[in-house]
Amino acid sequence: MKKLGRNDACWCGSGKKYKHCHEMIDERLAAESDRGHIVPTRDLLKTPEQIAGIKESCAINIAVLDYVAEHIREGVTTEEIDKWVYDETTKRGGIPAPLGYEGFPKSVCTSINEQVCHGIPSEDIVLKDGDIINVDVSTIYKGYFSDSSRMFCIGNVSEDRRKLVNVVKECVELGLEEVKPWGFLGDMAEAVNEHAVKNGYTVVREIGGHGVGIEFHEEPWVGYIGKRGTDMMLVPGMIFTIEPMVNMGTSDIYVDDSDNWSVYTADGEPSAQWEIMVLVTEDGHEVLAY
Ligand code: MF3
Ligand code: CO
């Protein structure tokens, strides 16, 4: 890489001089790396132009989930949810990112009760009173990716399932509070894990969040088992998801070998997940999609 002069235009495309833009961040990254910390590569720091595009994608993702929230109820099939997501995404000029992703056959993941994630919509799956369901929506718009998911309680949901759904949302919020520049991914992970365990739950270890924006799944991998002060440092311009899967019983899971996608809890107990997309800013964070 050609060494940038301090008066050259910054590599990020802001139009500002390097010395007034990323020079300090680059110096700090080099120093933290020398200290033995894991730091993001430059391509993980989104430019202002990329952030603007990613936000447009997020606006569609949020609108699609809002549509689902307004229409989901007992008696609806997950196939119908898939059609809503396809129609609401494409009418806004977006493409559902799951459709055809590594062979995934549908536009959205719908995971009910003991399904942990990656449930495949089907006309045979009818939402019934007492179900809890995660609807995981991801959008491509002008080449930019967004990804977020919400839980929905169908009808009269038992107290223990409702609590699981609420506690996982709290886990995400507590993790989010830890997201600030020059903190660590492990700060977020430990906050999520602590709250889940305090409530008697377990956190899925094998599946996590991810960087997102230019690709569907980018570095870093975002787990919820790590310890404070460890894992990758958080740097302004990074965008990633916080999406813990929390189980009422054992953390053990398996993939259904009939479809090679749907993930279930090993003990058949319920699981819940919320997913947000967060940008690390100069003074903290900004939630981009929820
Ligand atoms: N939306 C999921 C995530 O959070 C990814 C699903 S991949 C798919 O990472 F193909 F199943 F859609
Ligand atoms: Co995700």
Side-chain angles (χ1 to χ4, degrees):
M1 211 177 306
K2 178 177 161 288
K3 179 127 174 50
L4 267 188
R6 299 191 65 229
N7 288 313
D8 291 341
C10 187
W11 56 262
C12 81
S14 64
K16 290 192 231 171
K17 289 185 176 177
Y18 183 49
K19 67 183 177 190
H20 293 137
C21 197
H22 272 88
E23 184 186 43
M24 267 171 57
I25 285 182
D26 283 347
E27 281 172 0
R28 176 113 189 231
L29 282 170
E32 299 290 358
S33 172
D34 286 347
R35 234 169 264 159
H37 291 143
I38 305 167
V39 296
T41 49
R42 200 179 258 182
D43 58 316
L44 298 183
L45 309 183
K46 270 66 179 177
T47 68
E49 187 192 347
Q50 289 169 337
I51 291 168
I54 292 164
K55 283 183 176 177
E56 288 185 73
S57 181
C58 289
I60 297 176
N61 218 66
I62 292 166
V64 172
L65 273 166
D66 285 347
Y67 185 94
V68 171
E70 272 171 38
H71 295 84
I72 198 165
R73 58 183 161 73
E74 186 183 349
V76 161
T77 66
T78 52
E79 180 79 24
E80 287 173 78
I81 298 172
D82 186 68
K83 186 171 182 335
W84 299 342
V85 169
Y86 182 84
D87 291 347
E88 293 300 310
T89 304
T90 53
K91 86 176 194 202
R92 291 174 172 85
I95 302 167
L99 192 57
Y101 175 78
E102 293 187 4
F104 192 79
K106 297 287 180 177
S107 296
V108 62
C109 298
T110 50
S111 308
I112 303 176
N113 301 335
E114 72 280 10
Q115 271 185 335
V116 174
C117 64
H118 302 166
I120 301 176
S122 158
E123 57 190 20
D124 299 331
I125 303 172
V126 185
L127 293 184
K128 54 184 197 312
D129 188 54
D131 281 345
I132 58 171
I133 177 173
N134 174 276
V135 179
D136 190 343
V137 174
S138 317
T139 301
I140 314 171
Y141 181 67
K142 295 184 184 165
Y144 294 111
F145 286 80
S146 53
D147 184 11
S148 58
S149 78
R150 300 184 198 164
M151 293 298 297
F152 299 100
C153 291
I154 307 301
N156 299 298
V157 168
S158 68
E159 196 48 52
D160 58 343
R161 285 186 184 190
R162 207 172 272 280
K163 183 184 166 197
L164 175 69
V165 168
N166 291 336
V167 166
V168 185
K169 191 169 196 206
E170 290 163 7
C171 285
V172 170
E173 284 158 2
L174 290 166
L176 178 66
E177 279 176 29
E178 303 286 333
V179 177
K180 49 187 168 312
W182 312 109
F184 296 86
L185 265 183
D187 304 346
M188 180 281 297
E190 193 168 346
V192 167
N193 204 286
E194 261 172 13
H195 193 62
V197 168
K198 201 174 81 189
N199 282 280
Y201 303 140
T202 62
V203 180
V204 171
R205 315 175 75 89
E206 298 89 336
I207 313 172
H210 48 93
V212 59
I214 308 305
E215 309 279 350
F216 195 172
H217 298 112
E218 305 172 6
E219 292 294 315
W221 186 78
V222 180
Y224 311 96
I225 302 297
K227 290 288 163 205
R228 288 194 169 82
T230 68
D231 207 341
M232 190 180 279
M233 288 197 98
L234 304 175
V235 177
M238 284 174 76
I239 297 179
F240 60 92
T241 69
I242 302 178
E243 51 174 313
M245 282 141 262
V246 176
N247 297 350
M248 206 180 276
T250 174
S251 63
D252 294 345
I253 57 171
Y254 68 90
V255 181
D256 181 348
D257 57 18
S258 72
D259 65 18
N260 271 314
W261 277 105
S262 317
V263 178
Y264 290 84
T265 58
D267 59 5
E269 292 292 313
S271 181
Q273 176 185 31
W274 293 81
E275 175 176 17
I276 63 169
M277 232 171 107
V278 61
L279 165 71
V280 183
T281 61
E282 266 161 44
D283 49 10
H285 60 255
E286 183 180 344
V287 176
L288 301 187
Y290 49 86

